[in-house]
């Protein structure tokens, strides 16, 4: 399987860190509603979100799923360098359909990942939540397969270098887009390196997700600041 993050992994965590500063507090608050039991961090990446889960739920076992070898290398190192997490966090390299998960989980976190899942994987995810489980996820634009013009999403400095992250999307079929990413490294005003990559993303809006969840007896509720696009998923009390 092709790893879409093989070329960009060195940039992902440093560019996602400011995003997680905004996501972390409302996610930690939402996690307080989770039932006891193992918590699945789906698409854990380099583990920035895993650390939020570990701090918010200090007694929970965490199963961190990350298929990308490049990102998983960062995740495994980050977990192993924290003695308090070595007995709590299990890192799995498979996709959701292949991962050996317990029959019941307390909840699932799926941040910045839902567009990587196939419809089959999403239905598997919803099945994990019955009975009593909850999930927290975020929906990222676009909600439809439309063109997104090139824009800069990250600009940071590390030592003598400045790093920029750029991205644009183009329609790639009825339910997906292709994201084209560029990571640029500058020394002063001189561009010294540029890495480009692309990955497929299945678009999903709130209305479509709500309808899909209803088939599983689940309800969707916004949580956290509106601009973060975060939602809690739980059993629909009206079913």
């Amino acid at each position: 399987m092709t790893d879409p993050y093989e070329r960009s992994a060195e940039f992902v965590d440093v560019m996602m860190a400011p995003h997680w500063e905004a996501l972390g507090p409302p996610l930690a608050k939402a996690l307080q509603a989770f039932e006891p039991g193992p918590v699945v961090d789906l698409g854990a990446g380099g583990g920035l979100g895993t650390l939020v889960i570990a701090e918010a739920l200090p007694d929970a076992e965490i199963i961190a799923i990350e298929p990308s070898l490049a990102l998983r290398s960062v995740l495994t190192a980050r977990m192993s360098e924290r003695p308090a997490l070595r007995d709590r966090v299990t890192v799995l390299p498979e996709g959701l359909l292949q991962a050996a998960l317990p029959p019941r989980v307390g909840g699932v976190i799926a941040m910045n990942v839902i567009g990587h899942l196939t419809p089959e994987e999403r239905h598997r995810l919803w099945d994990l939540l019955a009975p009593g489980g909850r999930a927290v996820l975020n929906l990222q634009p676009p909600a439809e397969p439309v063109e997104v013009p090139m824009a800069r999403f990250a600009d940071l400095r590390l030592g003598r270098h400045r790093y920029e992250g750029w991205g644009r999307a183009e329609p790639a079929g009825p339910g997906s887009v292709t994201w084209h990413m560029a990571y640029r490294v500058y020394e002063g005003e001189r561009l010294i390196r540029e890495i480009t990559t692309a990955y497929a993303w299945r678009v999903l809006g709130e209305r479509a997700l709500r309808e899909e969840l209803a088939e599983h007896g689940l309800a969707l509720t916004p949580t956290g600041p509106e601009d973060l696009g975060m939602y809690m998923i739980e059993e629909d009390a009206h079913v």
Side-chain angles (χ1 to χ4, degrees):
M1 181 177 64
T2 302
D3 181 353
Y5 293 100
E6 181 178 7
R7 292 174 55 81
S8 62
E10 67 174 294
F11 306 105
V12 170
D13 261 35
V14 292
M15 292 185 178
M16 287 297 294
H19 184 52
W20 271 106
E21 289 179 5
L23 282 178
L27 174 60
K29 182 177 180 180
L31 290 174
Q32 301 310 308
F34 275 32
E35 296 290 331
V39 176
V40 176
D41 186 6
L42 181 59
L48 293 173
T50 316
L51 294 181
V52 174
I53 300 166
E55 183 174 352
L57 301 175
D59 298 320
E61 177 188 5
I62 302 170
I63 301 172
I65 297 177
E66 181 46 66
S68 165
L69 173 59
L71 296 181
R72 192 170 65 249
S73 299
V74 180
L75 169 66
T76 304
R78 181 170 275 145
M79 297 302 110
S80 67
E81 69 187 11
R82 291 165 169 79
L85 299 185
R86 291 174 189 164
D87 292 332
R88 293 179 55 201
V89 180
T90 301
V91 177
L92 298 183
E94 304 91 354
L96 180 59
L97 296 180
Q98 297 78 34
L101 298 175
R104 185 185 181 281
V105 300
V108 179
I109 291 83
M111 303 302 293
N112 308 316
V113 75
I114 196 69
H116 282 312
L117 303 184
T118 65
E120 183 182 9
E121 288 172 320
R122 292 203 306 267
H123 286 289
R124 164 64 172 150
L125 171 56
W126 315 143
D127 287 341
L128 281 175
L129 304 183
R134 290 178 169 85
V136 179
L137 55 73
N138 60 339
L139 296 178
Q140 298 164 291
E144 301 290 339
V146 297
E147 185 172 346
V148 178
M150 180 70 83
R152 186 173 64 185
F153 62 85
D155 185 359
L156 57 97
R157 183 171 293 278
L158 183 60
R160 297 183 179 183
H161 294 162
R162 184 170 60 85
Y163 295 78
E164 291 184 352
W166 293 78
R168 68 177 180 88
E170 61 182 12
S176 65
V177 297
T178 299
W179 277 100
H180 297 272
M181 316 301 292
Y183 302 90
R184 300 167 183 168
V185 184
Y186 292 85
E187 188 168 309
E189 298 301 317
R190 183 169 64 94
L191 178 65
I192 60 174
R193 193 155 61 101
E194 181 174 25
I195 303 296
T196 60
T197 189
Y199 61 84
W201 185 262
R202 294 171 180 85
V203 295
L204 186 66
E206 179 180 339
R207 179 179 176 181
L209 177 58
R210 197 179 298 277
E211 292 174 352
E212 186 173 292
L213 291 171
E215 300 174 11
H216 294 260
L218 298 170
L220 185 69
T221 306
T223 187
E226 183 178 352
D227 62 320
L228 295 180
M230 289 178 56
Y231 296 87
M232 176 78 78
I233 298 171
E234 56 193 332
E235 286 184 289
D236 189 342
H238 300 97
V239 174

